[in-house]
């Protein structure tokens, strides 16, 4: 991945941290986006000059757009967009106990942010030779089960959205 630029949302810890470290280890420059400022800044410092941390709340689509422009301005392009940030919401054991109070937050982070990240990355990539957009989801998006209904619905939405975006963006080599 030498010479490539990647963005990883939710990149300060967990799977996102592992992805950011791997991209950097393979030679890419990586923009790490997260709401966890301390962990994100520490990770970028640990990776070194090929990493940049940007505090971003992906539920705000203006901040998602800012990630793409920052990557292009700072690193000279964008080749890989990883929409990794996600939340599970309140863990209700039964749907009948769910007050749906966190519905909008879960959908904003798990669905709207993925759509905005895909759109904004694709806008750049479509004019610069293509790229890869990776939208992380969950088995909860395809396997039915009790509880966490908003989370399951959000992950199912990401699966369908990603398949549809792939069809539309394929002729741009995305």
């Amino acid at each position: 991945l030498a010479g490539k630029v990647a963005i990883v949302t939710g990149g300060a810890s967990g799977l996102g941290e592992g992805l950011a470290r791997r991209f950097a280890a393979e030679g890419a420059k990586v923009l790490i986006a997260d709401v966890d400022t301390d962990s994100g800044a520490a990770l970028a410092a640990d990776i070194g000059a090929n990493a940049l941390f940007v505090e971003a709340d992906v539920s705000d689509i203006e901040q998602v757009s800012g990630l793409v422009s920052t990557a292009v301005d700072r690193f000279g392009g964008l080749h890989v967009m990883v929409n990794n940030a996600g939340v599970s919401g309140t863990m209700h054991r039964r749907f009948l106990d769910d007050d749906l109070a966190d519905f909008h937050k879960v959908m904003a982070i798990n669905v709207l942010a993925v759509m905005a990240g895909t759109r904004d990355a694709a806008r750049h990539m479509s004019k610069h030779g293509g790229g890869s957009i990776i939208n992380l989801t969950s088995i909860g998006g395809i396997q039915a089960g009790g509880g966490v209904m908003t989370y399951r619905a959000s992950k199912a939405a990401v699966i369908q959205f990603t398949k549809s975006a792939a069809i539309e963006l394929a002729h741009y080599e995305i």
Side-chain angles (χ1 to χ4, degrees):
L1 297 173
K4 303 293 184 185
V5 177
I7 295 172
V8 180
T9 68
S13 63
L15 183 59
E17 176 184 352
L19 290 165
R21 287 186 184 280
R22 186 61 185 215
F23 279 122
E26 295 294 327
K29 294 177 177 147
V30 62
L31 186 149
I32 302 159
D34 207 298
V35 292
D36 183 347
T37 305
D38 293 339
S39 296
L43 175 60
D46 188 46
I47 291 172
N50 284 337
L52 171 67
F53 172 71
V54 174
E55 182 180 3
D57 176 354
V58 296
S59 68
D60 178 345
I61 62 172
E62 295 302 318
Q63 291 186 41
V64 175
S65 294
L67 297 174
V68 173
S69 60
T70 299
V72 171
D73 292 345
R74 175 71 184 263
F75 293 133
L78 178 61
H79 306 93
V80 181
M81 177 70 176
V82 181
N83 291 302
N84 170 66
V87 295
S88 63
T90 305
M91 302 296 281
H92 296 283
R93 292 183 186 260
R94 297 177 344 130
F95 180 60
L96 298 178
D97 298 329
D98 193 337
D99 60 6
L100 301 175
D102 60 0
F103 177 87
H104 294 286
K105 176 184 176 183
V106 172
M107 289 298 188
I109 294 169
N110 292 3
V111 182
L112 182 60
V114 171
M115 294 176 78
T118 299
R119 179 199 63 194
D120 295 336
R123 284 177 173 168
H124 173 81
M125 292 173 180
S126 68
K127 296 174 183 169
H128 296 92
S132 296
I133 300 173
I134 303 164
N135 297 331
L136 278 82
T137 185
S138 165
I139 191 72
I142 56 174
Q143 183 176 1
V148 293
M149 297 300 190
T150 302
Y151 173 79
R152 291 177 188 280
S154 74
K155 294 304 182 174
V158 170
I159 292 167
Q160 185 63 23
F161 164 74
T162 301
K163 289 177 180 180
S164 297
I167 291 167
E168 185 169 329
L169 299 173
H171 70 278
Y172 295 108
E173 299 296 322
I174 299 171

